[in-house]
Amino acid sequence: MSGRVAIVGGGPAALSAAAELRRHGCSADIYEAQPSLGGLDTYGIVSYREPLPVSAWETSLVLQLGAVAHLNTRVGQDIGWRALEQNYDALIIATGLGRVPRLNIPGEQLTGVWDALDIIALTKTGHLDDIDLGARVAVIGAGNTAIDAATCARRLGAERVSILYRRGEAAMPAYSYEYAFAKQDGIVFEWWTQAVEIVGQHHVEALRCQHTLPLPGHADDRMAPVSTQDDVEWLMPVDAVIRAIGQIKPQGPWDALQVAHHGPVPRVDPKTCETSAPGIYAVGDCLAPPGEATVVNAVAQGKKAAAAIVNKLWEAQHTACQGKEE
Ligand SMILES: Cc1cc2nc3c(=O)[nH]c(=O)nc-3n(C[C@H](O)[C@H](O)[C@H](O)COP(=O)(O)OP(=O)(O)OC[C@H]3O[C@@H](n4cnc5c(N)ncnc54)[C@H](O)[C@@H]3O)c2cc1C
């Protein structure tokens, strides 16, 4: 069985696809923007759930199977999407999610304002002693990443860590066990609170906050809009602000490859993960509905796409052989 497959992204979805392809004799070239493989296993899942050596070990197993890694290579920037498509028999896109969106409030450019994913990545790949958030930290958002950022901040030595959420407890996106874990760590939850300005000269000094109100009858609804109470405003003194309000889904690959997509999510055949463009597959978080992005789902989809590619290549090669025999 032969076949050349390019995989964009080096996270769990990509690595499981690469392992499956190598087991069936196909080549697997992984293009990863970061200096190391592993995706969020390496850079995003906090060390107390996914220690770095575990991710490095899993990655090494895939490389031992013969997958080739092209690191520090951002497709769309260092190499074109079309170039990959043309040079390989199949292309798997496993680019995950993008950055945490900006809050779009005044003061966001001040030092001391962090992206939650950057803080977590630093705790995994840098020296913990070099990370100084200060004593009072505010985390904006109440999802899984917010809990991780807040509990990291506590472990980095912050004395008071507050999670600000513009809705109430019932609408919090984090799991209940994460909520319990954060409370055990002494994290303070400020419900129905919205940061409207980050205040400071060069460095963060305080957050200007307003209370929010649900629409009548929508207190539990995560999607329902809330209104701010402009007349109830206060300053919360803080040394660092961490943005943790979800992650952007990049649309670039789908546009570049003319893959049909609904919003930023490509349309795929659920049985194979093949997109509307034959030979191009999408797997992992780039497909995941909100709240359903997990390593196991990403790994399962990587395997599924690889199996579909192997079947397709086998059929094509079998048909070609039969043609020659006849
Ligand atoms: C803070 C946090 C905590 C989490 N905790 C858990 C947990 O405890 N358990 C769990 O199951 N899941 C957890 N998840 C979710 C889990 O990490 C993801 O579902 C999983 O990593 C998705 O794998 P993936 O391969 O699709 O994407 P990713 O792991 O995001 O990997 C995508 C890779 O693609 C690369 N890339 C992107 N664009 C390009 C490009 N143009 N060119 C080259 N490379 C590119 C990126 O650099 C990245 O390495 C967590 C997520 C976060 C953010």
Side-chain angles (χ1 to χ4, degrees):
M1 174 76 202
S2 65
R4 299 180 67 243
V5 181
I7 304 170
V8 185
L15 292 172
S16 81
E20 196 70 8
L21 288 164
R22 287 302 302 138
R23 281 200 194 100
H24 288 88
C26 295
S27 74
D29 279 6
I30 302 172
Y31 293 84
E32 167 56 58
Q34 295 287 346
S36 299
L37 292 177
L40 289 171
D41 274 0
T42 297
Y43 293 102
I45 303 184
V46 287
S47 300
Y48 33 96
R49 279 208 311 282
E50 175 83 5
L52 198 53
V54 173
S55 178
W57 174 70
E58 288 175 346
T59 297
S60 74
L61 296 180
V62 178
L63 294 177
Q64 279 167 33
L65 287 172
V68 176
H70 305 266
L71 301 173
N72 297 304
T73 307
R74 180 167 289 280
V75 178
Q77 196 174 297
D78 302 314
I79 183 169
W81 289 102
R82 283 284 179 211
L84 282 191
E85 187 207 6
Q86 284 158 9
N87 287 326
Y88 288 89
D89 297 314
L91 174 59
I92 299 180
I93 301 174
T95 43
L97 297 173
R99 307 281 309 164
V100 177
R102 294 181 68 78
L103 301 167
N104 287 322
I105 57 175
E108 216 169 339
Q109 77 292 348
L110 293 171
T111 55
V113 179
W114 294 84
D115 178 325
L117 293 181
D118 290 340
I119 291 277
I120 297 169
L122 269 181
T123 64
K124 296 198 77 174
T125 58
H127 293 287
L128 295 182
D129 292 343
D130 294 343
I131 314 169
D132 183 11
L133 295 175
R136 299 160 305 181
V137 175
V139 179
I140 303 193
N144 321 95
T145 304
I147 302 281
D148 285 350
T151 52
C152 267
R154 278 292 282 161
R155 281 161 180 72
L156 288 166
E159 286 159 21
R160 183 186 165 90
V161 180
S162 311
I163 284 189
L164 275 61
Y165 188 44
R166 63 190 167 140
R167 297 192 170 87
E169 193 175 345
M172 175 178 59
Y175 302 120
S176 56
Y177 66 84
E178 292 176 312
Y179 181 32
F181 177 57
K183 283 195 290 190
Q184 268 173 28
D185 262 14
I187 311 293
V188 177
F189 285 79
E190 305 278 358
W191 307 115
W192 302 111
T193 300
Q194 179 150 342
V196 292
E197 183 185 355
I198 305 171
V199 181
Q201 287 294 319
H202 301 289
H203 195 280
V204 174
E205 291 168 24
L207 263 184
R208 188 179 302 284
C209 302
Q210 285 178 355
H211 271 310
T212 48
L213 280 175
L215 289 181
H218 286 87
D220 298 354
D221 187 348
R222 195 177 300 161
M223 304 314 282
V226 293
S227 61
T228 50
Q229 286 180 293
D230 300 350
D231 52 336
V232 188
E233 193 174 274
W234 74 100
L235 277 182
M236 177 189 290
V238 290
D239 304 301
V241 174
I242 302 178
R243 279 189 293 254
I245 52 168
Q247 284 175 265
I248 292 167
K249 273 200 168 106
Q251 199 170 299
W254 326 128
D255 289 337
L257 293 164
Q258 289 174 325
V259 162
H261 55 90
H262 183 64
V265 182
R267 290 183 198 277
V268 295
D269 176 340
K271 291 200 194 86
T272 60
C273 292
E274 191 168 22
T275 66
S276 61
I280 300 180
Y281 297 73
V283 294
D285 275 8
C286 62
L287 292 181
E292 290 179 32
T294 63
V295 172
V296 283
N297 284 344
V299 166
Q301 286 172 356
K303 273 190 161 183
K304 192 193 279 184
I309 291 170
V310 167
N311 280 339
K312 210 173 182 182
L313 289 173
W314 188 87
E315 272 169 26
Q317 286 168 20
H318 190 65
T319 312
C321 282
Q322 277 184 331
K324 274 187 200 154
E325 281 165 13
E326 284 164 14

